[in-house]
C-alpha cells in the first residue's frame, strides 16, 4: 500500500485545478436508533472489520441530532429517510472500516491508557474539570449503549486519527503555485438570468386531467390511523431551581447548539425544565395507562391521523405501525406531556380522485411546465449571445461578486460552475434559475503570483483531501463489503 501511495502521489497535481474549485465551493471545510435486522449483531463486514449494529445506531443517532438541530427541530424519521440519513451513516462507517483495515496492516494500535485519557478529557463527561463517572454512565444510558461498545467506537476514531497523521501530505511549492494561479484567474462575462417567476403558464381542466392520467399512481391518500388518546400533563409537577441545576449537571451533554457545542444552563433552561418534568411525570403517566387498561379511565379524545402527523412523537408512530388494532400503547412523551394510545383502526392509502388531487396536480404541472419553458428559452438565448445585455465585473473564485438578480450565494455557485466549464458561452442552472453567459474577457496574474498563507493552507487541504479520496477509492477495491442487511 505504501508503494501505491508513492506511485499515485505524483499525479495529484493533475487534478488540483478541479479540486481547488470544489474546495472553494465547500467553504474550506475539512474532511471529515435506526434498527435493522442483523447477523450476529453486525450489519456489514468490510475486509476484516465488522460494523456492529450498536455502532451504526450510535452514528445514526448523532447524525440525526445534528441535522435536527440545524433544521431547528422541524425534523422526524420520515424526513430523515427522505434525506437518506441511514445511507449516509452507513457510508460513513464503511469508509471508516476501509481505513481501519489499512491501520491493521500497519499495526497501528491504541492502548487502554490512551483510550482512558481521551474519554476523561471530553468536557461533557467532566464535573469541575475532572472526569465524573456518574455523568459518563448517564450519557451511556441515555444513548442506550454499553461502555464497552462506546469505548470501541472511540478507540476506532483514535486509530484512524493516528493513521491520517501518518499519511498527512503537504503541498510542495509547485502545487502551491498552481493553487495561487488558479485562484487568480478572472473572467468578465455578459449574461442574462432567467427565473421561473417570469413564466406563468395556464392549465385548463383538460390539460390537468391529461396530466393526472399520466401521473395518478403518484397521488394517494396517506395511510391513516384512528386512535384514542389519553393525555397526561406534566405542567403541575413542582420544580425548583436546585433540582433543575442538578438535572442539568448530570445531562448537560444533551443540550447543544447547531454546531454541537454544549449550551450553558441559562440557555438550555427551558429544555432542561421540560425534560425534568417529563422524567418526573412518567410515574403518573403509567398510573393513567393502568387505569385506562382496567376501564377506570377513558381516553380524552379520538383522532384520525395521517402517518407521521406531528401531533404524536416519532416513537409513538414507530410503535403504531407495528401494532395491531386494539393494542394499548404505553405512555410516551410528546412535547411537555405524555400520550397513552389505543389503536382503533388502520386506514390504508388509496388512489386520490381527480378533485382530491387537483391542488397538488396544478402545483406539479406548473413547476414542470415552467422548467420546460425556461430551459427552452435559455437554450435559444445561448445560441444568440449577442443578445445578452448585462455585464459583470471581473469574476474570480476568491472575490465574491453578485450577479443580479441572483443573490450572493447563488452568484458564488454560478462562478464556481463557470470556472469548471471549458465553454466560452454556456448555461448554468442554479436553484431552478438559468444563467446564460458568454465570456468577453479574461485575465490572469503574472507567473510570480504571491503564494500567501491562505493559498498555502488551501493547497495543503486540497492535496490532503484529494489524496484521501483517491486512497479510499483504492481501499474500496482492496477490501470487499459484505452487507448483512438490506435498505441501504
Amino acid at each position: 500500500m505504501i508503494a501505491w501511495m508513492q506511485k499515485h502521489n505524483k499525479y495529484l497535481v493533475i487534478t488540483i485545478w478541479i479540486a481547488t474549485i470544489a474546495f472553494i465551493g465547500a467553504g474550506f471545510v475539512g474532511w471529515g436508533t435506526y434498527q435493522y435486522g442483523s447477523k450476529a449483531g453486525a450489519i456489514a463486514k468490510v475486509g476484516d472489520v465488522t460494523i456492529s449494529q450498536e455502532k451504526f445506531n450510535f452514528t445514526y443517532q448523532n447524525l440525526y441530532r445534528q441535522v435536527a438541530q440545524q433544521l431547528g427541530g422541524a425534523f422526524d424519521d420520515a424526513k430523515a429517510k427522505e434525506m437518506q440519513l441511514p445511507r449516509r451513516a452507513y457510508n460513513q462507517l464503511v469508509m471508516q472500516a476501509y481505513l481501519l483495515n489499512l491501520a491493521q496492516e500497519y499495526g497501528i494500535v491504541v492502548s487502554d491508557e490512551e483510550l482512558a485519557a481521551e474519554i476523561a478529557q471530553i468536557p461533557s463527561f467532566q464535573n469541575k474539570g475532572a472526569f465524573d463517572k456518574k455523568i459518563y454512565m448517564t450519557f451511556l444510558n441515555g444513548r442506550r449503549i454499553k461502555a464497552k461498545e462506546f469505548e470501541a467506537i472511540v478507540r476506532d476514531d483514535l486509530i484512524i486519527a493516528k493513521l491520517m497523521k501518518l499519511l498527512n501530505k503537504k503541498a510542495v511549492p509547485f502545487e502551491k503555485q498552481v493553487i495561487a494561479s488558479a485562484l487568480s484567474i478572472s473572467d468578465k462575462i455578459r449574461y442574462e438570468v432567467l427565473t421561473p417567476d417570469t413564466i406563468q403558464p395556464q392549465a385548463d381542466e383538460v390539460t390537468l386531467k391529461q396530466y393526472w392520467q399520466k401521473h395518478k399512481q403518484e397521488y394517494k391518500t396517506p395511510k391513516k390511523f384512528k386512535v384514542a388518546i389519553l393525555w397526561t400533563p406534566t405542567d403541575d409537577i413542582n420544580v425548583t431551581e436546585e433540582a433543575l441545576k442538578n438535572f442539568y449537571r448530570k445531562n448537560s451533554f444533551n443540550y447543544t447548539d447547531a454546531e454541537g457545542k454544549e449550551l450553558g444552563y441559562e440557555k438550555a433552561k427551558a429544555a432542561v425544565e421540560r425534560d425534568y418534568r417529563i422524567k418526573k411525570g412518567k410515574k403518573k403517566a403509567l398510573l393513567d395507562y393502568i387505569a385506562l387498561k382496567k376501564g377506570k379511565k377513558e381516553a380524552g379524545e379520538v383522532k384520525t391521523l395521517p402517518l407521521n402527523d406531528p401531533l404524536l412523537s416519532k416513537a409513538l408512530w414507530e410503535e403504531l405501525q407495528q401494532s395491531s388494532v386494539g393494542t394499548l400503547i404505553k405512555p410516551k412523551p410528546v412535547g411537555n406531556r405524555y400520550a397513552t394510545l389505543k389503536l382503533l383502526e388502520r386506514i390504508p392509502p388509496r388512489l386520490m380522485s381527480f378533485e382530491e388531487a387537483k391542488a397538488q396536480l396544478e402545483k406539479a404541472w406548473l413547476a414542470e411546465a415552467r422548467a420546460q419553458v425556461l430551459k427552452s428559452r435559455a437554450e435559444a438565448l445561448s445560441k444568440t449571445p449577442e443578445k445578452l445585455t448585462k455585464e459583470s465585473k471581473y469574476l474570480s473564485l476568491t472575490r465574491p461578486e453578485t450577479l443580479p438578480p441572483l443573490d450572493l450565494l447563488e452568484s458564488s455557485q454560478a462562478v464556481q460552475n463557470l470556472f469548471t466549464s471549458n465553454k466560452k458561452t454556456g448555461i448554468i442552472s442554479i436553484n431552478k434559475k438559468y444563467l446564460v453567459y458568454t465570456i468577453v474577457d479574461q485575465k490572469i496574474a503574472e507567473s510570480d503570483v504571491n503564494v500567501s498563507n491562505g493559498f498555502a493552507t488551501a493547497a495543503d487541504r486540497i492535496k490532503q483531501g484529494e489524496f484521501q479520496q483517491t486512497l479510499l477509492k483504492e481501499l474500496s477495491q482492496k477490501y470487499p463489503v459484505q452487507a448483512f442487511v438490506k435498505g441501504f
Side-chain angles (χ1 to χ4, degrees), residues 272-338:
V272 171
E273 183 173 342
R274 180 198 63 218
D275 294 345
Y276 177 81
R277 289 181 185 276
I278 285 294
K279 181 179 180 181
K280 293 298 181 180
K282 186 174 182 179
K283 183 176 180 181
K284 182 182 176 183
L286 287 172
L287 291 174
D288 281 350
Y289 163 77
I290 293 170
L292 182 64
K293 188 175 183 179
K294 292 182 177 181
K296 295 180 180 179
K297 266 195 175 186
E298 293 185 358
E301 58 183 342
V302 174
K303 293 274 189 179
T304 299
L305 302 171
L307 179 63
N308 294 321
D309 186 284
L311 181 66
L312 305 180
S313 67
K314 62 177 183 177
L316 282 170
W317 279 119
E318 287 174 359
E319 194 156 348
L320 271 173
Q321 291 182 77
Q322 298 171 5
S323 300
S324 55
V325 173
T327 299
L328 187 63
I329 297 175
K330 288 185 177 180
K332 288 183 172 57
V334 179
N336 61 352
R337 56 183 177 171
Y338 279 89

Side-chain angles (χ1 to χ4, degrees), residues 366-429:
L366 180 61
E368 193 172 301
R370 277 178 169 172
Q372 290 174 353
V373 173
L374 207 62
K375 186 177 181 181
S376 297
R377 289 185 183 180
E379 289 172 346
L381 189 56
S382 69
K383 295 174 182 177
T384 55
E386 66 277 5
K387 293 183 179 180
L388 301 174
T389 59
K390 293 185 176 68
E391 186 166 287
S392 74
K393 298 178 181 179
Y394 280 97
L395 307 172
S396 74
L397 289 167
T398 57
R399 187 174 59 254
E401 295 286 353
T402 302
L403 299 169
L406 300 179
D407 60 28
L408 184 58
L409 178 58
E410 291 171 332
S411 299
S412 298
Q413 293 172 343
V415 171
Q416 291 160 27
N417 287 330
L418 175 67
F419 280 89
T420 56
S421 173
N422 59 3
K423 297 179 179 179
K424 179 183 177 182
T425 301
I427 301 171
I428 296 171
S429 175

Side-chain angles (χ1 to χ4, degrees), residues 7 13 17 21 44 64 86 88 99 120 136 154 172 193 209 234 249 344 349 359 383 401 413 424 444 459 480:
K7 174 184 175 184
V13 72
W17 287 72
I21 294 165
Y64 188 100
R88 285 163 61 182
L99 297 172
Y136 178 54
V154 177
V172 298
V193 176
K209 284 186 175 179
T234 63
R249 281 193 293 270
L344 302 178
K383 295 174 182 177
E401 295 286 353
Q413 293 172 343
K424 179 183 177 182
I444 186 170

Side-chain angles (χ1 to χ4, degrees), residues 193-202 366-367 370-371 373-374 377 405 431-434:
V193 176
L194 305 181
T195 60
D197 55 6
T198 61
I199 301 170
Q200 297 295 337
Q202 299 295 322
L366 180 61
R370 277 178 169 172
V373 173
L374 207 62
R377 289 185 183 180
N431 292 342
K432 299 181 181 179
K433 305 169 186 175
Y434 286 97

Side-chain angles (χ1 to χ4, degrees), residues 12 15-16 19 461-471:
L12 292 178
T15 57
I16 210 78
R461 290 189 180 181
I462 290 167
K463 182 171 183 177
Q464 182 69 4
E466 185 68 24
F467 179 75
Q468 290 167 353
Q469 184 178 356
T470 311
L471 173 62

